[in-house]
Amino acid sequence: MDVRLLDADDEVALSQWYEALRAGWLYQRPWEIVSPIDAFAHLLRNPMVDQFHEGYVAYDGSRAVGAMMLTVATQSNSDKVNAEIAVAPAHRRRGAGTALLERAYRRTAELGAIYTQVPGSYSFADRDSHFTHAFARAVGLRLDLDEIQRRCELPIDPRLLAELREQAARHHQGYRIEVWDGEIPEMFLDSWLETQNLLAIDAPLGEVPYEKDSWTPEVWRDTRAYVRETGQQILLAVAISPDQEVVGVTDLVIRSNRTDVEQWGTIVRGEHRGHRLGLAIKAANLQYLAEVCPGARRIDTINAEVNDAMISVNETLGFRALAVHPMWYRKVA
Ligand SMILES: CC(C)(COP(=O)(O)OP(=O)(O)OC[C@H]1O[C@@H](n2cnc3c(N)ncnc32)[C@H](O)[C@@H]1OP(=O)(O)O)[C@@H](O)C(=O)NCCC(=O)NCCS
């Protein structure tokens, strides 16, 4: 098995890499959605201010049988390298997965990072017996924490959203809820970034330690460019405190097919919790989504299994559990 760094400008190699990744990741996982090739190409070709990506291909002879996408953080949390790996079903149990991961461990150490993190995905019925556990044992991965994917089928009854907003509003007098179509007004940018940066440490964590994120206006511009240039759209909802600071944020990203929607982060700052702001901003963004993209059919969200506060908001809005997303890791230094 030969593992090579992908040249993302080589269209043939890129499409072989993508096909192996797609085939391996979707096999027996009807709940999964894989981004289109151009979204991966964009990430691989354009290093961002706070992260870059590398693709690797496992070749069996001249055949691409497995693929890996590394995400390398360069500012905050740069002690972690995320390695998404997948081997096409017809080529499993021949060492491709092991070879890819060994490359990931080596690259993690080479970059001076400490942890290689590897996401997985299986159904609830298989969670204790899935072969990923055997693979993880074989390649020296430990389970960090389980996250749960939930899905909300659209449209949501507009009366439910209106009612929830009305009920929530009684608990947060003095605060204002706003929605923005991919632009953060200048006067709110600093407090939006401050709030966003807490997400990495305020959500429940497993064994791998995290530090506060370091989003700056440049990181936000990069993220916005990625979303736009890949044909996606980001809808932001915020809670603004009486002293005109953003204290709660939530983002929905409409994928380029205009049918599937991803929930990105949601956070309310600690000192402003308990006012139903989380529910209010989420419901407001869902109302906005219905207006901007009435053809959207589903929203996916992933949260730590133990994040009771976020899960209760999601379930109230109609999200239902679909699958388990274990996060595995290996400490390489
Ligand atoms: C997990 C995955 C990457 C493994 O790829 P692979 O090329 O088949 O793995 P390897 O051949 O290197 O397997 C190494 C060892 O892991 C264990 N293992 C792998 N698959 C297994 C299975 N289906 N049942 C039992 N043990 C298994 C075995 O000990 C195996 O060694 P052996 O074949 O000599 O017994 C592949 O199944 C896949 O693409 N799954 C979907 C994507 C995914 O979940 N990725 C994240 C995994 S943490």
Side-chain angles (χ1 to χ4, degrees), residues 154-221:
L154 300 175
I156 304 174
D157 183 349
R159 284 168 306 187
L160 170 69
L161 293 178
E163 240 168 65
L164 290 172
R165 281 208 61 185
E166 205 182 295
Q167 284 167 14
R170 290 188 214 125
H171 297 262
H172 53 73
Q173 279 155 19
Y175 290 85
R176 199 163 84 243
I177 308 297
E178 289 197 4
V179 289
W180 303 326
D181 182 2
E183 292 288 347
I184 301 173
E186 198 54 40
M187 67 175 288
F188 293 120
L189 187 55
D190 286 348
S191 56
W192 187 90
L193 291 167
E194 264 294 299
T195 307
Q196 173 74 19
N197 281 333
L198 294 171
L199 196 56
I201 49 170
D202 274 16
L205 299 175
E207 294 178 3
V208 174
Y210 273 79
E211 62 178 327
K212 211 172 128 177
D213 262 330
S214 54
W215 280 45
T216 56
E218 292 71 36
V219 175
W220 161 243
R221 272 201 289 277

Side-chain angles (χ1 to χ4, degrees), residues 1 20-21 23-27 29 83-89 91-101 118-122 130-139 141 326 328:
M1 206 59 64
L21 187 79
W25 198 258
L26 292 179
Y27 181 62
R29 292 165 164 173
E84 236 171 279
I85 63 162
V87 175
H91 302 279
R92 291 186 180 172
R93 300 302 291 272
R94 289 191 218 144
T98 305
L100 285 165
L101 265 191
V118 187
S121 166
Y122 37 66
H130 195 267
F131 69 79
T132 305
H133 293 277
F135 175 69
R137 269 194 304 278
V139 295
L141 289 171
W328 306 84

